[in-house]
Every structure is written in structure tokens, then in C-alpha cells.
Amino acid sequence: MSRYSAVVERECFYTLADRAAAQAESGEVALLNLRGECSDFIRYNRTRIRQAGRVRQARLRLTLVRDRRQASATFDLSGDESADRLRLESVLGELRQLCKMLPEDPYLHFATAVNSTDRTEPTSLPRAGEATAQIVTAFDGLDMTGVWACGESCSGFANSMGQKNWHAVGSFNFDCSVHDGTQSVKHSLAGQNFDADALNATAAQARQTLSILSRPPKRLDPGRYRAYLAPEAMGDILGLLSWGGFGLKSHRSGRSPLMRLVDGDVHLDPRVFVDEDVASGFAPAFTGEGFVRPQRVPLIEGGRFASCLVDARSAQEFGHSVNASAEAPQSLDMAPGALADEDVLRALDTGIYVSNVWYLNFSDRNACRITGMTRFACLWVEGGVPQGPIEPMRFDDTLYGLLGERLLELSRNRPLSLDPDTYEGRSFSSARLPGALVEGLRLAL
Amino acid sequence: MGIILVHPEAASRLNYLKLPMRDRASTDAIEKSFERLAQGIDHCVLRLVEKRRLGVSVRLDVPEPVLNDHVSGCMLTVVEDGGAGYAATGDLSEGGLELALKDARDRAKLTASHRLFDAARLPIPADRARVDNRSAGGLPGVTDCLAMTSDASRRIKAAATNAKAMDKIADWSAAIEVAECHSLLLSSAGARIEQSYGYVSPGLSVVARDHGQSQQRSHGDGHMARQGGLEQLDVVDFAEHGERLVGEALALLRAPECPTENTDVLLMPGQMILQLHESVGHPLELDRILGDERNYAGGSFVTPEMIGSYQYGAECLNVVFDPRVPNELASYAYDDDGTRAERHDLIKDGILVGAIGSASSSLRAGIPAAASGRASSWNRPPIDRMANINLLPGDHDLGALLASVERGVLMDTNRSWSIDHLRNKFQFGCEIGWLIEDGERKGLIRNPGYRGVSANFWRSLDRVGDRSTEAVLGTLDCGKGEPNQLMQVGHSTPACVFRNVQVFGGG
């Protein structure tokens, strides 16, 4: 057994799929979606372990299609092949009954052309004990809090027509912050191959930033300020925009915060290009209905609306092609600008270096106006020199302005960010975004 | 009666999926396995969770695919040599439990070497109890839910047609989520705590759009979840609100923006739920105060020294932690650590008197526990959580609340929420508002929002509504923790008046 052995291996999943196919009656189609992981979660507070655990889980969504109806059930697998097969057969029978209770589904849509794929990536991940020893040593003497998440994650699709897709990646994600009184700085180290030198460099960088944060904080009045939104802050901003901003259904239902952009009433700066970059991301390239996603979907081109993310159901409802498994980006890519890292502070001159933002929401979706807080090592800069931290401030501004007429420059550097979210399981999402130098960021409180 | 985590009658009432659940024999087998495996371990806890969830929704008069979710698995927690470790597995065979136990012991050993606190001091649960809070009336099944949501959807469509405004209704939906949840906690000290409950969560939503302006009105839609069954859908008048929502959404398209000024606000329960949740509930969680959440959900402006003396709000502010309210969403007899749940005062006559903490946080902070160690499922460990956090009613009816406002804004139904990492600077937005002038509700206004600072805001509370203004609400999706967890929390609150608040509109 490997260090992070999956609960359900690829061949076991395919065996289950074959069983479902054999059990399917004439005119029936079975679709299987698997999501599994074996993950270590080590939670830290004050550079000591607060909670440590391991989670082995595998969930299967089985969908039965018959008579233009579909019925699904999602359930936990045990990893025991015989027990899981029995459960699958039992669920299949129940779904057959459930189908009889349901009306025909006009938007039923699944792939009928067989298109099998396999992406299994080699990784080098440390054991929990090794990781802990290195983390505790690297951050010795610092007040560090955060979480180490590490292990193998897999996603599989199969249908009774013979299609089989597999996606397995191992990764670690060390998401932490270092605190000194009321000040703090956030760091993230994530990838598929753990590097102790990178961990030590992260801790060293945190120590360096803390020396600036130890200076007296500056209290800003509400008003407009020149600001540099670091890539991490841009990640949160684009993350909020992804909440209904890029999906076809949200456009057609009038719920999208980008309706004015879609309608052509406003446009962003012509340097703004945003794509869903499936090819460079970590998310599965197949959808839950068996469609294989295009390598790249342009969302905003030259500051203008380009296209939407369209899942299988919306594709059927609105007469489009499927290009997404869900109508929110999973592998967001925003084109770089010309601003080099070493020139950021000089270009900012006097204003706010916004390292991170927090708890974003829309204050007016119609105007794509968003609000949120500054958090973690946001600095006041004068003449290109950091003066010290700012007290947390609330901003309330429209993205049509920040990425439109008030966008001054985008950074050249675009670090790859792996999503640390672990709500249902460890996220496959990632983003590659530049920082943004903007004029007149509006602080409200 | 034996050990049956899913009552057979309840299972048949759900009529959507009869998976091979833990019957008496398989539950007995798990208990016997645990007994064997835990021998020789002083502190070992097994928490088995099973949950079945059904979600039915109708959008634009077309039923969406039915959500049909079954959760089944367990977590083993071990304390050894002062370190605690956990392991979660969906494999409930003896072999699966044995592997999980090994994983948990390995992590307890790891924690012991780098521990934040001495887990050997943690109490081990020993109570034996069986608590069944399921509705006698049962939960609605697929056909019931389809009928109710289809009916509600048709009513919305009819209202839009009657208003000759179908071209302006961009979207609408009616949805019901129901679930049946079971847990069994066993410990090496002999605890056996079995709990069952069901919940319903209804929602209606209407979006009107015209001339580049979209306006949404909703009823429930994630904030009206309650424990119980069919009877609770009657309590919240699930299907009766469609016509009102259509009318209000259309009217909001033409309404003026909320003014930007400092003025009085009258917040209805549909907004008070978020105000209470974000700026009272979260700041009082002990794990935030102890720093566990500083990397994610944040800390708190509250410090342990404040408890007992800090003036949190006006004298009319009284807030309790009460996990024993029938039909409120987060009611339970024991938390997921096996601590017996009781009502605690949090804020009494405006003074902070308590906090929300689990047994482990209580131990670390030296503050009494409130039985708030809760986990979202079998695959996540318990952390400090709100249960039902309730603002106690005062003695003003809605007329008296309005009459107390010379000029102000009435706001209802939260749609936007944001607050800083210490739970101080907040900004909220609502779906709908009305101007108040000379003690009377006047014209409709759109995009109402307000912002403030928790530490000052609750001191500006001037009037608390009576029971006639109160609503029992609840949300299924409070996010927190590393690894992340979504949790169910309940809130009951009356309408309240606050003075001199910064309000604003859209644009």
C-alpha cells in the first residue's frame, strides 16, 4: 500500500462501471462519477499541532437514464470491491424505481460518443511526520497558524456505453499565516513535489515581512487611493466574479454581475484577457456527463465579453456546446501585463500594497460593485518605499472601474495558485493571475 | 428496541432511496468491532454518521435533476501520550475500522511530539442516551416535493402572467431540501449516544430584469431551514409567497435607490439572522478567540478578559446559545464530542457573559464549555460552532418599532454579507427596503445596504421587537475550519431598530 493509497483505484472503479453496464437494461444508460481522496490534514496554531488526522473517502454518483428521465444517487464507497458492487446494484434498482416517479427531463444531456482519457501524474509527497518536522523547524520561533493538506485525489467518469475517464493527482497545500500581535502575513506553498528549500524560503520571507509589519500601523480615512492588488488579492476578486459571472445560465437568468459587459454597455481595459485554461490546470478535463472539455475557453478578450462557461444542462436548454463541467472557472488564467515584480513599488509610488483581501461579496451586482476587507500584510507605501502596515479597511468599488478606466498596469509575474479549499474534498481548482496597479480604489470604512 | 440508525418507517416515507443502511445487525457489528479494537486504549471515540438528503427544485416550471445524497462513514479519535489524532473512513468493516484506528494512533503520536495542549486532560464522553427529534409527521418524499415545488412554480408563473410581466421575469425557482440525519457516538469509557433528526429547507426565488437592472426577491432560499418534517413547510407558508415576490421584484425595478446617509434602520428577521450570526455568533467562538482560525475564518475582537464585564450592546440586547429549542435547526442533546448540551446566556442585558466553546476550547481557555464541538460530517473533526444563537424578544410590536423612527430605512432579506477577520467592520445588503417617515412605512427602495462596526453597532440598538415580530430561521451553509466544513446553525430573532447607521444604495 502506498503512502496515500486511494480508497478506490482506477481498475476497481472501472470494474464497478462494467458491473453497472452489465446491469443496465435495454434502453437504459448508466453514468458513474467518482470522487476520492486519501488526505492528511494537519492543523497548526502557534506553530504547534492543533488537530491532525487522515481522511479516506470515495463518493460515487450513479445516474440512470431511461425513457428521457434521469435519476441519480450519490453515496460513499467503502473500498471493499464486493461490498461496493452490492451497493451499486442495490442503488441501480432503486434508481429504476425512482425514474418512474419523475417526469421527462427536457434538458437531459449526456455524451454519446465514447471518448476515454487518462491523466495520472507522478508526485513526490512527504509523510505527515516528515512534513511536520520540517514545518515546525522552519517556523520555529514564529507564531504560525494554518493547515497542511496532502495526499492523492482522483476523479473518474464512466458510462455504460464504454467510455472511461480517469484523473488522479497527488498534491500538497500548505496554507499558513504568521502573526505578530495584531499584524500577520499569509503564505501558501503548494504543488505536486514538496521542496524543503522552498518551505524554508517561505518562512524566511515571513520573517522579513514581519519586520515591516512591526512598525506603527497607518490609519487611513475613507476615500480613494492608488493601490497595487497583488496576485493573491486578484485571486479573491476573480473568485468572487466567478460566482455567477461567467456561466451561461446566470447570464440568461439575469443574475450575472457581468450583465453590462455582456450587453456591451461597458467594457474593461483592452489589456484584460481572461480564459478558462483547462490544459494548464489541475481539474479533470471531462465533465460529469462524459463530455471532454476544450483546452481553453476565452471568457474576456481585450476587455470585452467573449464567451460563457456552459455545462451540459445549459447547453441543452440554450442550444450551446458543452465546454465546462460546472459554470464557474476551475483553471482561471488572466493574461500578464508589463509590470515587473521589482518595479511594483516604484510604480505604485504612494498608495496601498494590498497583499490579500477577505470576505468579498457584491454590494450591487448590477454595477459589478464589490466589497471586502484588506487582510494580511497590506502596506502603506510612500515614494515607492513601504512605510508599515495599514489598519484593516473596507473597500467598496466597481470592477468595471478597477479593471476598466482605472487599471494602470498588470504585473508580468503570474504565480500559479492551487486552491486550498477543502469543503467537500480537496479542490482541483487553480489560477494563474497577475497583480493589478489601479488608481482610485475606494475605501468605505 | 435495538440499535437502528434509520427507522424503517421513516425510510419508507422518504420514498426516494432505500440504500442498505446500518440495520441492527450491521450496527451491532460496528459496536462489537469498536469494543475489540479500543481495548487497551484509554481514550478512543468512534463517531458514526449517516445522512440522507433529498433536494427537489423546479426552475422556470421545469423540474431540475433530483439531488439524492447518502452519506455514511465514521471517524475514530484517539488520545495517547497527550496527543490527539483522528482518522475518517467510509469502510465500516472491522478491517476498515482497524486501519482507521492505526491512522488515528499514528497521528496522535505525531501530535504528542508537537502538541498545542495536553489532550490527556480532555474529558472522555461516558453518557448513554438515545434522542430522536424526528418529526412524527415524517419527511416529504420525492413525489410530495415535486408536487409542492411544481405548485409553487405555477403560482409564480400565474402571478407574472396576471401582472402582464412575463417578459420581465428572467428567472424563478421553487425548491425544497429535506434530510434525515443520524449519529452514533461510542467511547472506550462506555458512552453510547445515538441521535436522530430531520430537517426541511424551502426556498422560492424570483428575478425580474428590465433596462439593465436585475432585482431578486426570495423567501427562504437557504435561510429558512428548520428541524422537523412536512408540518414545518406549513409553518413557513412555503407556497404562499410567490405572488408577493413577483410583485416586489417588479416594483424594485422601478424603485429609487436607497439613499446614502446616516439614519435609523429597522431590520427584519430576514436580515437580523445575518447580523446576529456574523457579529455576535462568530466573534464569541472560543476557537477564534484562541487563535485556531486566524489563517482562515479569522480571530475575534473579543478577548477572554471581556467575558463578564464587556458592554457588548444596549441593555435591551439579550442573546442565548440554546441547542434545545424544538424545531430550530441546530438543536441537539449532545454535541459531537459527547458533551451534554444546555442553554447558556451569551449576552445578558447588554453585558457579555459567555462564549461558544467545545470541551477542548473550554479546557484551553478556562471558560465553561457550551457543548459546541460540532462536525459537518463523518469526515471532519468537531470544531467550535454555533448551535442556535437566539436574540431574545423585547416588548415592541412592529407598529411600535416603526413609530419610534422619525426617518429611517426598513430592510429585509439578506443578499450580501461581508465582515472583517476580527468580526468588527461589516457591510450587509438586503433584497428590499422601504423608507420610514414619521413612524410610517413609505415608498419602496432598491439595493439597500448598511455598514458599521460590531463593537459600536450593538450599542446603537434601541428597540427590540416582541414575539409577533420574531422568526425562527436557520442556514445550512456556515463555512469555517481547516479542513473546511459547512455547518447548520439556527437563529431566532425579532425585528430590531438601530440608531444612526450608515446606509447606502446601489450604483
Side-chain angles (χ1 to χ4, degrees), chain B residues 53 132 285 315 395 402 475 484:
Chain B
R53 195 162 57 110
D132 191 342
E285 292 165 341
E315 281 188 20
D395 50 13
L402 283 165
T475 180
N484 307 147

Side-chain angles (χ1 to χ4, degrees), chain A residues 40 43 45 49-50 54 57 59 74 76 91 143 186 254-255 359 362 364 366 375 392 396 422-423, chain B residues 19 68-70 72 88 114 214 216 278 292-296 379-380 416 418 425 451 484 507:
Chain A
D40 276 325
R43 191 174 196 197
N45 184 7
I49 295 179
R50 167 67 186 90
R54 167 165 281 198
Q57 61 180 15
R59 290 179 63 70
T74 305
D76 290 296
V91 172
D143 176 7
K186 190 169 179 66
R255 295 174 190 259
Y359 218 137
F362 293 102
D364 181 6
N366 290 296
R375 189 179 179 187
D396 188 347
T422 49
Y423 275 106
Chain B
L19 281 167
N68 188 1
D69 193 29
H70 176 227
S72 175
H114 306 281
S214 294
Q216 172 177 300
E278 303 287 9
D292 295 347
E293 287 283 343
R294 288 177 298 165
N295 184 56
Y296 182 55
N379 59 359
R380 294 290 182 265
S416 174
S418 173
K425 288 183 177 179
R451 56 177 78 97
N484 307 147

Side-chain angles (χ1 to χ4, degrees), chain A residues 1 40-46 48-57 59 70 72-78 87 90-91 94-95 98 101-103 105-107 128-129 132 136 143 145-147 175-177 179 186 243 249 252-255 259-260 263 313 317-318 358-364 366-367 369 371-373 375-376 392-394 396 420-425 442 444-445, chain B residues 15-20 22 59-60 62-66 68-72 85-91 99 103 107 110-111 113-117 142 146 170-171 205 207 209 212-216 278 290-298 360 364 378-383 415-421 423 425-427 447 451-452 479-486 504-507:
Chain A
M1 186 175 287
D40 276 325
F41 296 108
I42 302 173
R43 191 174 196 197
Y44 294 92
N45 184 7
R46 304 186 198 288
R48 314 294 291 175
I49 295 179
R50 167 67 186 90
Q51 276 173 323
R54 167 165 281 198
V55 175
R56 295 176 193 271
Q57 61 180 15
R59 290 179 63 70
Q70 62 169 316
S72 298
T74 305
F75 51 97
D76 290 296
L77 297 177
S78 68
R87 174 161 279 203
S90 167
V91 172
E94 295 294 336
L95 294 180
L98 182 55
M101 300 180 196
L102 301 175
D105 184 355
Y107 306 138
T132 299
V136 169
D143 176 7
T145 178
V147 65
D175 190 68
C176 74
S177 50
H179 302 255
K186 190 169 179 66
W243 182 21
K249 187 165 87 174
R252 294 300 173 87
S253 62
R255 295 174 190 259
M259 292 306 296
R260 289 182 187 169
D263 292 343
R313 194 163 182 80
E317 180 176 357
F318 302 113
W358 160 248
Y359 218 137
L360 273 58
N361 212 319
F362 293 102
S363 40
D364 181 6
N366 290 296
R369 196 175 118 194
T371 187
M373 293 296 304
R375 189 179 179 187
F376 294 122
M393 291 297 291
R394 171 166 296 287
D396 188 347
D421 273 8
T422 49
Y423 275 106
E424 293 292 326
R442 180 172 169 264
L445 184 65
Chain B
N15 75 31
Y16 59 97
L17 189 65
K18 295 191 281 289
L19 281 167
R22 290 321 112 195
R59 177 178 159 265
L60 299 177
V62 176
E64 299 270 286
V66 170
N68 188 1
D69 193 29
H70 176 227
V71 168
S72 175
Y86 67 83
T89 180
D91 184 355
L99 178 60
D103 283 343
R107 276 137 196 87
L110 175 66
T111 303
S113 309
H114 306 281
R115 70 191 189 200
L116 179 66
F117 62 95
V142 168
L146 268 174
D171 200 38
S205 170
V207 177
R209 180 164 177 79
Q213 179 79 208
S214 294
Q215 288 293 329
Q216 172 177 300
E278 303 287 9
L290 290 164
D292 295 347
E293 287 283 343
R294 288 177 298 165
N295 184 56
Y296 182 55
S360 61
R364 292 161 62 200
W378 59 269
N379 59 359
R380 294 290 182 265
I383 56 175
R415 74 171 188 190
S416 174
W417 60 100
S418 173
I419 190 164
D420 76 24
H421 63 285
R423 299 283 145 174
K425 288 183 177 179
F426 63 79
Q427 178 168 316
N447 302 320
R451 56 177 78 97
K480 185 184 168 184
E482 291 175 309
N484 307 147
Q485 305 191 37
L486 289 176
F504 58 87

Side-chain angles (χ1 to χ4, degrees), chain B residues 74-407:
Chain B
C74 81
M75 174 168 285
L76 278 156
T77 303
V78 171
V79 176
E80 284 185 317
D81 300 327
Y86 67 83
T89 180
D91 184 355
L92 299 174
S93 68
E94 180 146 340
L97 297 181
E98 191 171 4
L99 178 60
L101 183 65
K102 180 187 177 305
D103 283 343
R105 294 185 86 166
D106 285 349
R107 276 137 196 87
K109 189 176 174 186
L110 175 66
T111 303
S113 309
H114 306 281
R115 70 191 189 200
L116 179 66
F117 62 95
D118 183 4
R121 294 166 56 211
L122 288 173
I124 179 165
D127 283 7
R128 297 180 73 82
R130 179 171 182 166
V131 183
D132 191 342
N133 283 338
R134 284 175 296 172
S135 161
L139 288 164
V142 168
T143 46
D144 303 321
C145 290
L146 268 174
M148 286 187 283
T149 50
S150 296
D151 175 54
S153 176
R154 276 193 295 272
R155 290 193 196 198
I156 291 171
K157 187 177 182 180
T161 305
N162 291 340
K164 297 184 170 50
M166 271 306 289
D167 59 327
K168 294 186 177 62
I169 300 298
D171 200 38
W172 77 84
S173 63
I176 298 175
E177 178 179 319
V178 305
E180 188 164 295
C181 311
H182 309 269
S183 65
L184 174 66
L185 187 141
L186 307 170
S187 81
S188 50
R192 189 185 186 288
I193 301 168
E194 186 179 354
Q195 300 188 87
S196 303
Y197 68 95
Y199 70 75
V200 297
S201 177
L204 298 178
S205 170
V206 175
V207 177
R209 180 164 177 79
D210 193 28
H211 290 95
Q213 179 79 208
S214 294
Q215 288 293 329
Q216 172 177 300
R217 284 296 287 131
S218 61
H219 177 70
D221 208 24
H223 289 159
M224 209 170 270
R226 300 166 68 102
Q227 283 191 10
L230 267 169
E231 78 287 350
Q232 295 303 314
L233 295 175
D234 293 333
V235 172
V236 300
D237 289 338
F238 169 65
E240 303 298 321
H241 294 264
E243 186 173 353
R244 174 177 63 81
L245 298 184
V246 168
E248 288 177 349
L250 290 169
L252 283 168
L253 292 174
R254 303 184 299 274
E257 294 287 341
C258 178
T260 298
E261 61 187 45
N262 280 21
T263 191
D264 296 346
V265 294
L266 168 51
L267 302 182
M268 301 303 285
Q271 169 53 29
M272 279 299 297
I273 176 178
L274 257 291
Q275 187 68 58
L276 181 63
H277 178 94
E278 303 287 9
S279 76
V280 174
H282 278 310
L284 301 190
E285 292 165 341
L286 271 182
D287 59 349
R288 287 173 172 272
I289 294 170
L290 290 164
D292 295 347
E293 287 283 343
R294 288 177 298 165
N295 184 56
Y296 182 55
S300 175
F301 69 92
V302 172
T303 60
E305 299 73 37
M306 290 178 174
I307 296 171
S309 61
Y310 178 69
Q311 185 79 43
Y312 206 99
E315 281 188 20
C316 54
L317 178 64
N318 289 283
V319 180
V320 296
F321 169 94
D322 194 352
R324 304 303 294 264
V325 182
N327 296 122
E328 196 164 351
L329 184 60
S331 287
Y332 49 83
Y334 289 84
D335 71 4
D336 291 324
D337 287 326
T339 306
R340 186 169 177 77
E342 293 172 350
R343 172 174 157 149
H344 288 260
D345 287 328
L346 296 175
I347 298 171
K348 194 167 179 55
D349 300 329
I351 303 294
L352 177 66
V353 295
I356 303 165
S358 61
S360 61
S361 293
S362 167
L363 179 81
R364 292 161 62 200
I367 292 170
S372 66
R374 304 178 66 203
S376 58
S377 189
W378 59 269
N379 59 359
R380 294 290 182 265
I383 56 175
D384 290 4
R385 282 296 198 166
M386 293 176 238
N388 300 317
I389 305 298
N390 299 339
L391 198 155
L392 302 182
D395 50 13
H396 301 276
D397 64 17
L398 188 59
L401 294 177
L402 283 165
S404 76
V405 178
E406 188 178 327
R407 177 177 170 81

